[in-house]
Amino acid sequence: MDRIAITGGYRLEGEIPISGAKNAALPLMCASLLTKDPFILSNLPQLADISTLKLLLKGHGVRAKVLNCGKSLDQGRTISFTTEVITSTVAPYDIVRKMRASILVLGPLLARMGEATVSLPGGCAIGNRPIDLHLKGFEEMGATIELEEGYVRAVAPGGRLKGGNVHFPMISVGATENILMAATLASGTTTIENAAREPEISDLVNCLNAMGANIKGIGTKTLEIVGVDNLHGAEYAVMPDRIEAGSYAIAAAMTRGEIELKGKDLMDAMRGTIGILREAGLRFQETEGGIVATLGTDKVKGINVSTQPYPGFPTDMQAQVMAMMTLCDGASVINETIFENRFMHVPELTRMGADITVHGSTATLRGIDQLLGAPVMATDLRASMSLILAGLVADRQTFVNRIYHLDRGYERLVEKLSAVGAKIIRDANLGI
Ligand code: EPZ
């Protein structure tokens, strides 16, 4: 099993191309089920989750053809997805359990075929991740939902969903995306109230409208979708990954370096993140093709922050900010309000000398002068990035185990960090 070894203490300087956003690409790929026409997505990142979803879509009859394999670091892949016929409406457990975003095929299958049988995704390391809001939304649109042997069996009476008024009692990115896709082909108008407003959802709305959908309210918490009879193909470029960009901005700050994050409209996509990072002392300078990130103060400033739905501070940046706050001037408080178990990086950072106290969903950090290199274990995608960031500034070497978590969301991480001066290698035989 591969490990990553990092020798800390090197200032990072140069350019890092930001890949297409994983959390935009996944729902966009599911949207391919909504049309018989060729549907072309560009700027797709090469990630484990993308490959898992491609496999799942293939089982439904989606033919994927790589039009451009994106050889260079700054080029994503272009893939054409064609679904002339949906050959199966079943999403099997052995794939869904690997990647819970697979649940996003439920809405498109229900919309296109009037039925779907999708394995319950189950929980993951950061929480039990229920899908009750998704299912209630489909019922509001006339679907019948049965749970049998670990599968959700959804049927639209008469073969077509009807427009409904879906109100989410709590904000859910996935539930908003699932209902949004299903509503594009429903008979009548659907409103989604208290919709999630993440930039990845605006990306999905823009793409669906390019396919002939009729969606209003982009970027707001109320979406109105007038159902149409069918959607046509489109060509669409996935937005840049704001979480990857924020992670590398922190790498620049922690190593007192200067990294130009290359990507279109990054500043806009990173709105919910940049405010907090600026509060911690980071500086952002917009350039022709991206943003330059540096630390504008001697030490990272302590902050008090709670994770929130967009445009608040994203939970997907919490572990990375915590790595940075281990070295803050004074103290810092981080409150995780979205997931019930998203502090698994804390014991690993503590092994590296961090001073962190956790009470319930709140972590209090007292800044230290130097992290200590150590063997540590990745437990989930964003926790693994926080350990990489800590290793970049720790003394001696840090060995990060179980980095398959990292492969789910960070494309070509070792290449990108090496290119800006990090001493980082990946190998299965790294001794400890
Ligand atoms: C998406 O997950 C992202 N994943 C997550 O990113 C991200 O952390 C999360 O949104 C929040 O921003 C993708 O986009 C593929 P939610 P999702 O539904 O849609 C509860 C990463 O690291 N909830 O907004 O699953 C849920 O348990 C990943 O890239 C219900 O109770 O998140 C959580 O506490 C991790 N019932 C909260 O809502 C439901 O039916 C927010 O979940 C659905 C959700």
Side-chain angles (χ1 to χ4, degrees), residues 12 46 65 92-93 110 114 139 154 173 177 194 209 263 266 298 319 373:
L12 303 187
Q46 297 187 50
K65 188 161 171 277
Y93 172 69
L110 202 40
E139 285 177 325
V173 170
E177 290 165 342
N194 204 20
N209 280 341
L266 257 188
D298 288 347

Side-chain angles (χ1 to χ4, degrees), residues 301-305 321 325 328 330-334 363-367:
K301 288 192 273 183
I303 56 173
N304 286 9
V305 65
V321 165
M325 286 300 138
C328 75
S332 208
V333 177
I334 297 177
T364 303
L365 295 95
R366 279 171 195 72

Side-chain angles (χ1 to χ4, degrees), residues 7 88 112 128-129 160 168 203 210 247 259 264 266 332:
T7 306
S88 164
R112 176 100 181 260
N128 78 356
R129 314 287 293 272
R160 191 175 185 185
F168 287 127
D203 221 27
S247 305
I259 297 178
K264 207 166 69 62
L266 257 188
S332 208

